[in-house]
């Protein structure tokens, strides 16, 4: 399976010109890599513009969020059907930065279902705020997965990717980066949780790690944490660094 490297641009960059330049530079590297699927998730407003530049399959666009309905009086929201109509394949759902704005497990679940129905691949984000020595965080993550997947059939799971992003390791205020072992532990937990929910023949649901991924640690996460890819924030906004991450991923067996 190709390594899946997703860049979550969050609410950056400030203008469309910069967004174009970054995307073109990333695409130039991504287009040369056979073993890596690159996805860039820009802010919604840049999607239409960047879509014109996104030729080929090796570097595609995704969205950072979507609403639970395909149309209606929902001021400020963007529907999964709209994203699909723009030719997008991926949508991030349940990112911790949206959960702090009030997104509950119940809303995340509705978004997961709406995204799948619209034909998108849903990148479901889970992760604990802090770790404890009793392993409560494991229950917390398993519960997030369980609640997000209520009503999602085994067949529909082929359109789901699970991204583990420990909140304490995300962003410039992160306490410290996660270790490859931290990520490995949750890779196993995700697999066990899916087997518990769907049976042993659940199939392959790709698992990503995200949180302070950079050009130095990316290969280690891919090789030692048994993840299928990475969800990259800050380092995806620097085309040179992101390019290095993509090239490292190409080399990991
Ligand atoms: P950072 O890579 O900036 O820590 O952000 C991770 C993230 O939230 C990606 O979705």
């Amino acid at each position: 399976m190709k390594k899946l490297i997703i860049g979550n641009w969050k609410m950056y960059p400030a203008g469309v010109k910069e967004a174009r330049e970054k995307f073109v530079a990333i695409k130039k590297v991504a287009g040369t890599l056979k073993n890596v699927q690159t996805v860039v998730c820009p802010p919604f407003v840049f999607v239409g513009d960047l879509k014109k530049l996104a030729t080929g399959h090796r570097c595609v666009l995704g969205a950072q969020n979507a609403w639970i309905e395909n149309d209606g009086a929902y001021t400020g929201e963007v529907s999964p059907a709209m994203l699909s109509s723009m030719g997008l394949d991926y949508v991030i759902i349940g990112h911790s930065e949206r959960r702090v704005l009030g997104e509950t497990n119940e809303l995340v679940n509705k978004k997961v279902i709406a995204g799948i129905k619209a034909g998108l691949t849903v990148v479901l984000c889970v992760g604990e705020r802090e770790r404890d020595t009793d392993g409560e965080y494991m229950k917390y993550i398993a519960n997030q997965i369980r609640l997000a997947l209520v009503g999602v059939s085994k067949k529909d799971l082929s359109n789901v990717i699970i991204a583990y992003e420990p909140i304490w390791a995300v962003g410039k205020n992160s306490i410290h980066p996660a270790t490859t072992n931290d990520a490995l532990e949750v890779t196993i937990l995700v697999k066990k949780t899916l087997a518990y929910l769907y049976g042993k023949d659940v199939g392959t649901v790709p698992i990503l790690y995200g949180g302070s991924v950079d050009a130095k640690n990316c290969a280690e996460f891919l090789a030692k944490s048994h993840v299928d890819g990475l969800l990259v924030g800050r380092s995806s906004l620097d085309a040179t660094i992101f390019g290095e991450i993509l090239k490292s991923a190409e080399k990991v067996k």
Side-chain angles (χ1 to χ4, degrees):
M1 188 162 54
K2 280 188 178 197
K3 295 281 179 270
L4 179 62
I5 311 293
I6 304 183
N8 175 9
W9 281 4
K10 308 190 178 183
M11 205 174 73
Y12 301 101
V16 68
K17 186 169 168 286
E18 214 185 320
R20 269 189 220 127
E21 284 164 6
K22 285 183 193 300
F23 185 75
V24 167
I26 290 168
K27 200 190 121 179
K28 201 169 161 200
V29 177
T32 65
L33 307 176
K34 283 198 297 287
N35 304 320
V36 176
Q37 176 63 57
T38 304
V39 182
V40 173
C41 300
F44 284 137
V45 282
F46 300 148
V47 165
D49 207 85
L50 299 189
K51 187 65 194 157
K52 292 182 205 139
L53 304 171
T55 48
H57 294 293
R58 288 186 181 169
C59 184
V60 300
L61 291 168
Q64 300 174 19
N65 181 32
W67 187 237
I68 61 174
E69 300 282 353
N70 279 332
D71 51 31
Y74 299 106
T75 302
E77 293 294 345
V78 172
S79 81
M82 289 170 186
L83 299 175
S84 186
S85 81
M86 291 298 289
L88 267 59
D89 298 313
Y90 296 84
V91 61
I92 297 171
I93 296 291
H95 192 280
S96 59
E97 288 152 12
R98 298 214 52 86
R99 292 182 192 252
V100 287
L101 296 176
E103 245 176 55
T104 59
N105 282 318
E106 199 186 358
L107 187 60
V108 168
N109 174 237
K110 287 183 178 157
K111 290 187 171 195
V112 168
I113 289 174
I116 294 171
K117 263 197 190 151
L120 299 168
T121 296
V122 170
V123 182
L124 167 66
C125 296
V126 296
E128 78 284 6
R129 185 155 296 283
E130 56 191 12
R131 286 205 167 191
D132 57 287
T133 47
D134 298 329
E136 284 301 313
Y137 65 96
M138 303 276 266
K139 288 188 203 150
Y140 182 83
I141 297 165
N143 205 39
Q144 278 186 322
I145 295 171
R146 184 177 65 79
L147 293 173
L149 297 178
V150 170
V152 174
S153 69
K154 195 188 266 189
K155 187 171 146 273
D156 286 344
L157 268 194
S158 56
N159 291 319
V160 175
I161 291 166
I162 297 191
Y164 170 54
E165 296 209 317
I167 299 172
W168 47 268
V170 166
K172 63 179 190 303
N173 297 324
S174 58
I175 307 166
H176 55 84
T179 64
T180 54
N181 259 342
D182 293 331
L184 174 62
E185 182 185 50
V186 178
T187 305
I188 295 165
L189 173 73
V190 172
K191 288 188 180 174
K192 277 189 162 177
T193 305
L194 291 173
Y196 174 76
L197 293 172
Y198 291 94
K200 288 226 157 48
D201 59 339
V202 58
T204 312
V205 174
I207 301 171
L208 312 182
Y209 169 76
S212 300
V213 170
D214 59 27
K216 288 196 192 81
N217 63 23
C218 60
E220 286 230 304
F221 277 116
L222 287 170
K224 296 188 180 163
S225 305
H226 290 262
V227 289
D228 304 292
L230 302 165
L231 182 52
V232 187
R234 281 158 295 160
S235 295
S236 70
L237 280 148
D238 182 315
T240 308
I241 297 176
F242 198 49
E244 282 170 27
I245 293 175
L246 297 174
K247 283 187 265 180
S248 291
E250 173 83 358
K251 291 191 210 131
V252 176
K253 290 279 168 314

